[in-house]
Amino acid sequence: MVSIADYYAGKNVLITGATGFMGKVLVEKLLRSCPEVQTLYLLVRPKAGQSMQERVSDMMKCKLFDRVREDNPDFHQKIVPISSELTQPALAISPEDVERLTSCVNIIFHCAATIRFDEPLKHALQLNVMATQQLLNLAQQMHHLQAFIHISTAYANCNRRHIDEIIYPPPVEPKKLIDSLEWMEDSIVCDITPRLIGDRPNTYTYTKALAECVVQKESSKLSIGIIRPSIVGASWQEPFPGWIDNFNGPSGVFIAAGKGILRTMRANNDAVADLIPVDVVINLTLAAGWYTAVHRLTFPPAALVYNCTTGGINPFHWGEIEHHVMSSFKRNPLEQAFRRPNANITSNYLMNQYWILVSHKFPALIYDLYLRLSGQKPQMMRIFNRLHKAIGLLEYFSSQDWEWNSENMNMLMSHLSPEDRKTFNFDVRQLNWPEYIENYCIGTKKYVLNEDMSDIPAARQHLRKLRNIRYTFNTLLLVFIWRVFIARSQMARNIWYFVVSLCFKFLSYFRASSTLTN
């Protein structure tokens, strides 16, 4: 069977979501490990005052592409941006671009989606469901298409505890829902959203389940593969360990803990933290594209689903993550930390609320008061409120376990040659979790916060300063409380005098013993 790199040689690939986290890694991996690929067409929209060409140009300047740049300085010539807007009819692709794409594209990787858990339902439907349907319509017009790979999520069916590699019946017929919501005002849709999503935690997982249904309906006409990654984190090995470029998911939590802002989080210490490195997901995605295309004539008319998870193969728990994250940030501290890293995970609601009050809100009020008195704008309470909202959205996923079947992923691995298993490695059994978490934390420091590793000695000195301030404050607070308590109670005064007299007697005994010894 032809190797993966040889298959992609001379192929034209269409990628949506290429400027996102996973999309960037996919583009880089294709260019580096499949250097003979013909052209990468990227659907990109103008954003924040930048044209699509400027956005793609900025993306290619990213450190992520350093290895590709060394191997082929002219790699940008293989990239062709296509103006598109996923929320518009026909994806707002011009007739000229439609003609170009339909005449030459061989593989589609659909990575674009809104990953916001609190996205309004109408907008989430537009981006995750309707855009997928329109891309499938475009795919059916392509004369040389060999594979359509859709990126879903392992949590699309999180209302089930055991999840097989099949597409489950949707909670509602997607077209009926879209037609029903079309005439409704946003306020009405917002009011009925909780009843619509039912036992799913948010609009993201709900619309991703609907999108899988939309994709399945076209599987008789197209060769389709569906990738279901769990919680996508920093890179494991490629293009280098620990690469991450955003605050989403666990990255923001790790940074908040490293800065000393996060002190408590509600989660189950014994629950499996199903993190999956981004390069594992991309390697599986490219291998699935190869397998889907090569076997397209022998497949039954159904989409092949790949659960891309670690929990059932190489489990790691939230309690272990807490330990290794704290240890890593103490060895490699972040600059200008608010407090020393010391976050704790608890599954008890009341205990969590107590620590939020004592360790989050009370220090935030004091710090904001200091900022006001010094003529600065208070900000710490606003930061903590945003942090609490983000952690609240993650709580559902950090408090329970799921079981994912991964037979198709194992089957795909068995079809790879030894060389392809090295180049497109997605065997998570080889993943060393403590080492991965260490690189993840360093990655947030280097690539998200843009901090220099040479400044670690200064950051450690800052942590020692914070430790001394904390010890001094706690000592003064203890003395103050004790003195107030003593002033109000005769019994407390008697205990105080007794303890002090014992201390003096011990010192006198120690001095006498020293004199006799001499």
Side-chain angles (χ1 to χ4, degrees):
M1 197 183 301
V2 65
S3 71
I4 295 177
D6 287 343
Y7 167 74
Y8 284 105
K11 295 297 191 295
N12 296 295
V13 181
L14 175 64
I15 302 175
T16 69
T19 57
F21 175 48
M22 287 179 57
K24 289 177 189 174
V25 181
L26 175 60
V27 171
E28 190 276 341
K29 178 66 176 180
L30 263 173
L31 292 169
R32 178 167 49 83
S33 297
C34 307
E36 299 303 317
V37 67
Q38 182 71 27
T39 308
L40 304 185
Y41 293 99
L42 313 183
L43 295 192
V44 184
R45 67 184 175 94
K47 182 180 179 182
Q50 283 187 310
S51 66
M52 61 170 185
Q53 290 89 351
E54 289 172 333
R55 291 188 67 195
V56 172
S57 178
D58 285 350
M59 178 188 80
M60 290 187 292
K61 293 174 185 175
C62 174
K63 182 175 175 60
L64 175 70
F65 291 89
D66 282 356
R67 288 180 62 182
V68 178
R69 200 174 290 111
E70 290 175 8
D71 298 337
N72 179 14
D74 298 324
F75 74 92
H76 60 276
Q77 294 179 1
K78 292 180 178 285
I79 296 178
V80 177
I82 301 290
S83 180
S84 174
E85 174 54 70
L86 297 183
T87 59
Q88 298 301 315
L91 305 178
I93 304 175
S94 69
E96 296 79 14
D97 287 333
V98 168
E99 184 177 354
R100 188 195 324 186
L101 296 174
T102 55
S103 65
C104 71
V105 168
N106 305 112
I107 307 106
I108 295 176
F109 292 107
H110 181 34
C111 305
T114 174
I115 58 172
R116 285 182 54 191
F117 289 172
D118 57 349
E119 191 79 71
L121 181 57
K122 255 191 177 181
H123 197 232
L125 278 170
Q126 281 185 322
L127 290 169
N128 293 349
V129 183
M130 296 168 66
T132 300
Q133 180 64 70
Q134 295 190 78
L135 186 62
L136 287 163
N137 294 341
L138 177 63
Q140 290 180 45
Q141 302 173 43
M142 294 179 175
H143 309 305
H144 307 288
L145 188 69
Q146 298 178 6
F148 183 104
I149 305 300
H150 173 69
I151 307 298
S152 184
T153 172
Y155 296 101
N157 302 285
C158 59
N159 55 328
R160 301 172 180 268
R161 282 293 164 266
H162 181 85
I163 301 169
D164 287 313
E165 291 174 308
I166 61 173
I167 299 174
Y168 290 94
V172 65
E173 178 63 34
K175 189 176 185 308
K176 289 182 179 179
L177 178 64
I178 292 167
D179 292 343
S180 299
L181 298 185
E182 188 176 0
W183 59 269
M184 292 188 187
E185 295 181 1
D186 291 345
S187 59
I188 298 176
V189 176
C190 184
D191 289 339
I192 65 174
T193 293
R195 294 192 64 183
L196 285 173
I197 66 176
D199 53 1
R200 284 179 171 83
N202 49 54
T203 57
Y204 170 68
T205 57
Y206 180 72
T207 54
K208 277 297 192 178
L210 297 179
E212 287 191 0
C213 173
V214 167
V215 171
Q216 184 188 38
K217 286 185 176 180
E218 307 300 332
S219 61
S220 61
K221 305 170 189 174
L222 300 168
S223 296
I224 290 174
I226 296 177
I227 312 297
R228 287 179 180 161
S230 49
I231 304 172
V232 182
S235 62
W236 170 26
Q237 296 172 323
E238 300 179 88
F240 34 78
W243 187 80
I244 184 77
D245 73 342
N246 60 76
F247 290 90
N248 296 334
S251 305
V253 175
F254 290 177
I255 291 171
K259 286 284 189 180
I261 296 173
L262 177 66
R263 275 293 198 262
T264 183
M265 174 179 169
R266 192 175 178 210
N268 184 350
N269 279 284
D270 299 323
V272 172
D274 213 299
L275 291 181
I276 189 79
V278 64
D279 49 334
V280 170
V281 181
I282 296 308
N283 286 338
L284 174 63
T285 299
L286 289 172
W290 160 80
Y291 186 81
T292 303
V294 170
H295 291 81
R296 65 187 182 279
L297 299 179
T298 59
F299 270 168
L304 205 56
V305 179
Y306 302 88
N307 286 337
C308 186
T309 63
T310 57
I313 305 170
N314 185 3
F316 201 61
H317 303 88
W318 286 105
E320 294 174 286
I321 283 187
E322 173 208 325
H323 169 73
H324 289 291
V325 168
M326 292 301 97
S327 299
S328 178
F329 279 128
K330 286 174 182 176
R331 287 191 299 271
N332 307 288
L334 302 180
E335 296 175 14
Q336 297 301 311
F338 178 61
R339 290 177 295 195
R340 285 176 59 80
N342 189 27
N344 290 297
I345 287 178
T346 177
S347 57
N348 186 288
Y349 173 79
L350 292 177
M351 186 64 68
N352 183 57
Q353 291 300 310
Y354 167 78
W355 284 116
I356 285 176
L357 180 64
V358 172
S359 297
H360 289 182
K361 293 186 176 181
F362 183 62
L365 287 171
I366 293 176
Y367 192 73
D368 279 350
L369 178 61
Y370 163 76
L371 291 177
R372 286 180 186 276
L373 294 175
S374 59
Q376 302 177 61
K377 184 179 179 180
Q379 58 177 349
M380 195 53 66
M381 185 57 77
R382 177 173 54 85
I383 291 173
F384 273 112
N385 287 337
R386 289 176 60 187
L387 177 64
H388 294 153
K389 181 180 179 182
I391 292 175
L393 294 172
L394 291 173
E395 192 175 297
Y396 178 89
F397 304 97
S398 61
S399 300
Q400 49 194 320
D401 289 309
W402 288 266
E403 294 178 8
W404 284 279
N405 185 314
S406 55
E407 289 181 4
N408 287 341
M409 192 167 81
N410 295 331
M411 175 276 298
L412 180 57
M413 194 184 305
S414 70
H415 279 79
L416 300 187
S417 66
E419 187 61 33
D420 279 345
R421 287 190 189 187
K422 293 178 183 177
T423 307
F424 300 90
N425 182 20
F426 53 87
D427 186 359
V428 295
R429 292 173 298 183
Q430 303 171 15
L431 180 61
N432 181 303
W433 280 109
E435 180 184 350
Y436 173 70
I437 296 298
E438 175 94 4
N439 289 329
Y440 197 150
C441 292
I442 292 174
T444 61
K445 177 180 177 68
K446 291 168 64 176
Y447 309 121
V448 179
L449 301 177
N450 296 313
E451 296 181 1
D452 198 323
M453 295 297 286
S454 63
D455 293 330
I456 283 182
R460 288 174 179 161
Q461 179 63 33
H462 180 68
L463 286 191
R464 285 192 288 270
K465 179 182 175 182
L466 291 175
R467 179 196 61 192
N468 295 337
I469 291 173
R470 178 190 172 193
Y471 287 166
T472 303
F473 176 80
N474 288 348
T475 302
L476 292 175
L477 182 64
L478 180 63
V479 170
F480 174 76
I481 293 174
W482 183 246
R483 290 297 297 172
V484 170
F485 185 63
I486 288 172
R488 295 176 178 272
S489 169
Q490 180 63 43
M491 182 181 292
R493 282 199 295 271
N494 293 338
I495 294 173
W496 172 256
Y497 294 142
F498 175 72
V499 170
V500 170
S501 65
L502 279 180
C503 290
F504 276 116
K505 287 179 180 179
F506 174 77
L507 287 173
S508 301
Y509 173 77
F510 181 77
R511 287 174 183 170
S513 299
S514 300
T515 302
L516 290 172
T517 302
N518 292 334

